[in-house]
Amino acid sequence: MPKLSNVLSLWCLLAVAMLGCSSSATGAAGRRDAYAMATCTDTVTCCIQRNPGMPEACGLTAGEAASHMAGVKMAMEAADNASAESDDSHNAALPEWKRRCIRNYGDCQDDGWTGSCYDCLRYCEGQQEWPTDQCFRPKKKRVR
């Protein structure tokens, strides 16, 4: 019967190895799912993040999943940019006239104002007022 005990020992060893692999795989998947849940914004996004490379698990084609994730990324970036633009609390120690100069300079750069934004900023720093005759929002075209 020595052969039977060797076979039985081998099966026990194999069963222990399988349980060990199974538990570590589950642990890794659990961490991945926890991360996906922490960073997702809606149920479709959560599903896509939990099933990377398998959009069909979420009822989507690869193109639909990519399009959805690109839209989510753009929305998150827009939200980050909007909050960064409106928050100038990092300039709270500056005088109000200088904060206005900095805000106008940012608007001038971002919105394509007429005039040299940098020159107008320097003027504003010296005169404590924005030169509205030199740097201003572009005039809107009339539609007939």
Side-chain angles (χ1 to χ4, degrees):
M1 290 265 191
K3 286 186 178 184
L4 183 59
S5 71
N6 285 343
V7 171
L8 187 57
S9 296
L10 185 58
W11 277 107
C12 288
L13 184 61
L14 182 61
V16 169
M18 288 176 63
L19 286 173
C21 291
S22 174
S23 65
S24 66
T26 303
R31 285 190 299 275
R32 185 186 72 233
D33 287 346
Y35 175 76
M37 292 297 288
T39 60
C40 63
T41 57
D42 56 55
T43 55
V44 175
T45 306
C46 291
C47 183
I48 293 169
Q49 288 179 352
R50 267 195 234 116
N51 301 290
M54 297 185 319
E56 61 277 357
C58 306
L60 302 170
T61 65
E64 290 170 333
S67 176
H68 179 79
M69 293 307 287
V72 168
K73 182 179 177 185
M74 285 175 46
M76 292 177 76
E77 287 172 355
D80 288 344
N81 289 340
S83 64
E85 287 174 15
S86 62
D87 181 21
D88 74 338
S89 61
H90 58 281
N91 290 331
L94 298 175
E96 185 56 35
W97 66 265
K98 189 158 193 162
R99 290 175 76 175
R100 275 194 310 273
C101 291
I102 293 169
R103 282 193 301 265
N104 282 335
Y105 174 75
D107 290 344
C108 183
Q109 291 282 18
D110 293 343
D111 299 338
W113 286 13
T114 301
S116 170
C117 300
Y118 182 77
D119 290 344
C120 290
L121 173 65
R122 293 296 163 231
Y123 177 91
C124 189
E125 288 178 329
Q127 303 302 313
Q128 299 184 5
E129 66 180 358
W130 188 260
T132 56
D133 60 329
Q134 296 174 22
C135 294
F136 49 89
R137 296 182 195 280
K139 294 184 169 122
K140 295 181 181 179
K141 296 179 182 177
R142 291 186 184 177
V143 178
R144 293 183 181 183

